[in-house]
Amino acid sequence: MMDIIANPMLVATVVMVVLCLLKVEVFFSIVASVFVCIFLSGANVNDSFWLFINGMGGNNEIVYGLLVMGMLGVVMQEIKMGEVLVPRLSRLIGNKVWLIPVFLCLMAVLSETVVLVYVTFVPIFIPPFISLFNKYKVDRRMLVTVINAGLQIGYVCIPVGIGAVYMGIVQSAMADNGLDGVGLYQVAAANLPILLALILGVIAAIVIFRKPREYADTQVAVEAANQSDAPLPKMEAKHWLTLVSAVIIVVALFITGSIPLSATCGVAFLILCGVVRLNKLSESFTENIKTMAYGCFILMAAAGFGSVTREIGQLDTLIAALSNTLGGNKLIAAFFMLIVGLAVTMGIGTSFGTVPIVATILVPLGQSMGMSTAAIIMLVAAAGALGDSGSPASENTLVCTSVFNADGQHDHIRDTCIPAFLCVNIPLVLVCTVAACLI
């Protein structure tokens, strides 16, 4: 048991999460956790810290894509896109406020499977509607949670688009650890309990955060939205062109598969059409930096943390200690296997990077416990997803906070990480623990 409790990777991850909950700045929490992992492992400090520095480049593609795509959100604010779109959506919704979280969850699923913009749909589509959410007094904690759950439904449960990529990673991880011949749709079938858990998470968020919550709103779009009989604001050329640029990003991403390239195409279109003037480009980019760069910097730090834990986190000793401790109890084994995955993902902040790591622990451990192939697949996929909703270093939570906190009324830990963790991760652990013993 001491080999588990004192494992450098697990201790470092716990330290990072505790520091974040204590309101220590996220980047410094990650750096402190890196040093904890280094000291507990007995590795060379200088060499190990260079692992962290070099590993910070692991998320460069996502960082660049978010920075450039974030400019589209800035442009939408500058041309007052909200004043045009919000009244239209307000009339469409009417008094059916429940449509808002359902719509956002569906958008999140589609962003993973059909339009393939992943979490970047948040800075692209959400900013114009913030004032509408404020008008209806919708709790942003609910919206962030349903978005995170929708994103995970898309990439964990549906074998299309980015979901096919995630399931392909699970396939490879199975093969690398001794389970050959696992098909893509076999992974999708095994992940059905995860789908159930995520749907329960969406329902839980809507129920728990259903009460109205007041937000100060300085945007005049709310006034227009409240005037149900007033004529709708005219859609000008700049508004249509901005929407076209969003479509260009989606199409380019579908064709090229490159987030940075597709984002650059969208912004280049805005420049060529005159929506963004060259003499205003620096100003727009600087404003976007204020909104998105901090989250991007945390993503880089999370990649560095993952690099350190993979190299010196002593995962082999963790596997041996878990096997000896759990004995033959499948229920307890499944629970601890998911907790291990949660700890890794909470630290690394990305489910895609977690799967190859947790598979090295969970596949041999599951086989030694006599679990079925479907149960092992589900546990690996769920363990990778666990923490993506709730980790302070996750790109999902960071991007959501960057957008919803544009007016300074949404806290990263209290309003994004904790609600998402409670509503999404708890159902995932409970449902998948039971399912592992039944399938």
Side-chain angles (χ1 to χ4, degrees):
M1 180 63 71
M2 284 303 300
D3 287 338
I4 300 173
I5 297 175
N7 180 265
M9 181 198 69
L10 292 183
V11 174
T13 303
V14 170
V15 169
M16 185 202 72
V17 174
V18 170
L19 289 176
C20 289
L21 291 175
L22 293 175
K23 303 288 289 182
V24 176
E25 200 276 329
V26 178
F27 176 78
F28 289 110
S29 299
I30 294 175
V31 173
S33 301
V34 168
F35 279 108
V36 169
C37 186
I38 293 172
F39 291 140
L40 289 179
S41 67
N44 180 276
V45 175
N46 187 53
D47 292 343
S48 299
F49 195 71
W50 272 110
L51 281 174
F52 172 72
I53 299 298
N54 294 330
M56 287 180 70
N59 283 330
N60 277 348
E61 182 176 349
I62 295 174
V63 167
Y64 176 84
L66 289 177
L67 281 175
V68 179
M69 281 193 183
M71 288 187 65
L72 186 58
V74 173
V75 171
M76 285 184 173
Q77 293 176 359
E78 289 179 349
I79 66 175
K80 296 181 172 55
M81 181 71 81
E83 294 184 20
V84 175
L85 296 181
V86 168
R88 288 172 167 80
L89 185 58
S90 178
R91 291 190 183 183
L92 178 65
I93 293 174
N95 294 322
K96 300 183 286 292
V97 182
W98 61 270
L99 283 176
I100 293 177
V102 173
F103 170 77
L104 291 183
C105 184
L106 180 61
M107 284 293 297
V109 174
L110 292 175
S111 73
E112 298 280 358
T113 55
V114 179
V115 296
L116 304 182
V117 292
Y118 191 38
V119 73
T120 50
F121 96 91
V122 178
I124 291 175
F125 293 108
I126 295 301
F129 301 117
I130 292 291
S131 57
L132 178 66
F133 304 151
N134 292 349
K135 172 201 169 183
Y136 287 112
K137 301 178 183 178
V138 181
D139 196 323
R140 296 181 189 178
R141 293 173 295 181
M142 176 209 297
L143 302 182
V144 166
T145 303
V146 299
I147 287 172
N148 275 274
L151 289 169
Q152 290 184 296
I153 289 173
Y155 74 76
V156 180
C157 306
I158 303 176
V160 177
I162 298 176
V165 174
Y166 183 79
M167 293 184 187
I169 295 173
V170 174
Q171 275 184 291
S172 298
M174 295 293 103
D176 291 342
N177 291 278
L179 277 179
D180 297 314
V182 174
L184 188 68
Y185 291 97
Q186 186 179 354
V187 177
N191 288 353
L192 287 176
I194 301 176
L195 175 61
L196 172 62
L198 291 172
I199 292 174
L200 291 175
V202 171
I203 296 172
I206 294 175
V207 172
I208 294 172
F209 302 113
R210 67 187 183 280
K211 293 183 179 179
R213 191 179 189 187
E214 296 280 353
Y215 294 95
D217 199 330
T218 58
Q219 299 186 42
V220 297
V222 172
E223 298 177 7
N226 285 323
Q227 298 173 3
S228 57
D229 297 328
L232 292 173
K234 182 182 178 181
M235 285 281 288
E236 300 178 13
K238 61 184 179 182
H239 299 125
W240 288 111
L241 290 171
T242 303
L243 293 178
V244 170
S245 70
V247 174
I248 289 175
I249 291 176
V250 172
V251 174
L253 187 57
F254 181 78
I255 295 173
T256 67
S258 170
I259 291 177
L261 182 57
S262 57
T264 302
C265 290
V267 173
F269 176 80
L270 293 177
I271 296 172
L272 293 174
C273 293
V275 179
V276 176
R277 297 180 181 178
L278 289 175
N279 59 352
K280 293 284 187 179
L281 187 59
S282 177
E283 181 180 333
S284 297
F285 189 74
T286 301
E287 188 63 32
N288 171 54
I289 288 290
K290 295 177 183 177
T291 304
M292 301 298 296
Y294 176 72
C296 291
F297 194 54
I298 298 302
L299 283 177
M300 295 170 65
F305 180 80
S307 177
V308 172
T309 56
R310 282 192 296 270
E311 292 293 329
I312 63 173
Q314 299 179 8
L315 293 178
D316 52 344
T317 59
L318 181 62
I319 295 172
L322 283 170
S323 299
N324 293 330
T325 303
L326 297 175
N329 192 312
K330 288 186 180 180
L331 188 69
I332 297 177
F335 176 78
F336 274 101
M337 288 163 76
L338 290 169
I339 295 303
V340 169
L342 172 63
V344 176
T345 316
M346 286 287 285
I348 295 177
T350 170
S351 54
F352 290 79
T354 297
V355 167
I357 298 174
V358 297
T360 61
I361 304 172
L362 304 194
V363 173
L365 187 57
Q367 289 176 312
S368 68
M369 299 296 298
M371 292 182 177
S372 67
T373 299
I376 297 173
I377 291 171
M378 179 203 64
L379 288 171
V380 170
L386 275 168
D388 218 0
S389 293
S391 170
S394 165
E395 60 199 73
N396 289 3
T397 60
L398 286 165
V399 171
C400 286
T401 296
S402 296
V403 173
F404 281 96
N405 192 42
D407 57 3
Q409 300 184 76
H410 187 87
D411 183 77
H412 182 55
I413 301 299
R414 293 196 307 271
D415 297 329
T416 294
C417 297
I418 294 177
F421 184 95
L422 294 176
C423 293
V424 177
N425 288 342
I426 290 179
L428 266 174
V429 170
L430 295 178
V431 171
C432 292
T433 297
V434 174
C437 300
L438 301 177
I439 62 176

